[in-house]
Amino acid sequence: MEKRKRTNIKALETEIIKMRKVGRTRQEIADTLGLEKVQIKNWISRYNREQARLAAGLPRKRRGRPRKSGYTTIEECQYEIQRLKIENKLLRDFLRFTGRK
């Protein structure tokens, strides 16, 4: 059987977990699913690391690029908009008072 170089291993997650619980080796799992042993080894390492983080009560790692804005709720955004409006008004008044505008 030809070994697949690239695959969505996340879709095979439940099968891999079942095979590990039964006591199959990494090589047996790889042969059954048509993957390479290294792919199974890496996935098991990532899975064990994630399970250890969850058991320790740590939050899951976020995927992707972090957001530019540090605001998470609508209320925080609205508060920031209101604050900036007030700041703009103060700056406009200051410029008018000094005669620059």
Side-chain angles (χ1 to χ4, degrees):
M1 177 189 270
E2 181 75 24
K3 300 284 184 178
R4 293 183 280 183
K5 289 287 184 185
R6 301 182 195 284
T7 187
N8 182 6
I9 203 161
K10 196 77 169 160
L12 303 171
E13 184 173 289
T14 55
E15 295 177 46
I16 296 171
I17 293 171
K18 287 178 188 174
M19 289 184 208
R20 288 292 288 173
K21 285 184 180 177
V22 171
R24 296 183 74 179
T25 64
R26 294 174 182 166
Q27 187 64 56
E28 292 172 341
I29 295 170
D31 291 340
T32 304
L33 299 175
L35 301 171
E36 294 185 0
K37 180 182 173 186
V38 174
Q39 290 173 300
I40 300 298
K41 180 184 79 85
N42 291 339
W43 181 86
I44 290 171
S45 296
R46 285 192 306 270
Y47 179 78
N48 289 339
R49 199 174 320 123
E50 180 68 24
Q51 293 304 311
R53 285 181 63 82
L54 292 174
L58 299 172
R60 296 185 80 177
K61 281 183 138 183
R62 289 191 163 201
R63 295 180 58 150
R65 185 175 180 171
R67 294 177 181 228
K68 288 183 181 180
S69 172
Y71 313 115
T72 55
T73 63
I74 293 175
E75 291 81 20
E76 288 177 350
C77 290
Q78 289 172 342
Y79 173 79
E80 183 66 13
I81 290 169
Q82 187 64 30
R83 189 187 68 76
L84 290 171
K85 284 180 181 179
I86 293 170
E87 185 177 322
N88 284 342
K89 185 179 181 316
L90 287 171
L91 289 171
R92 255 187 263 116
D93 290 346
F94 175 76
L95 289 174
R96 218 174 286 130
F97 178 73
T98 58
R100 295 185 184 179
K101 189 172 181 184

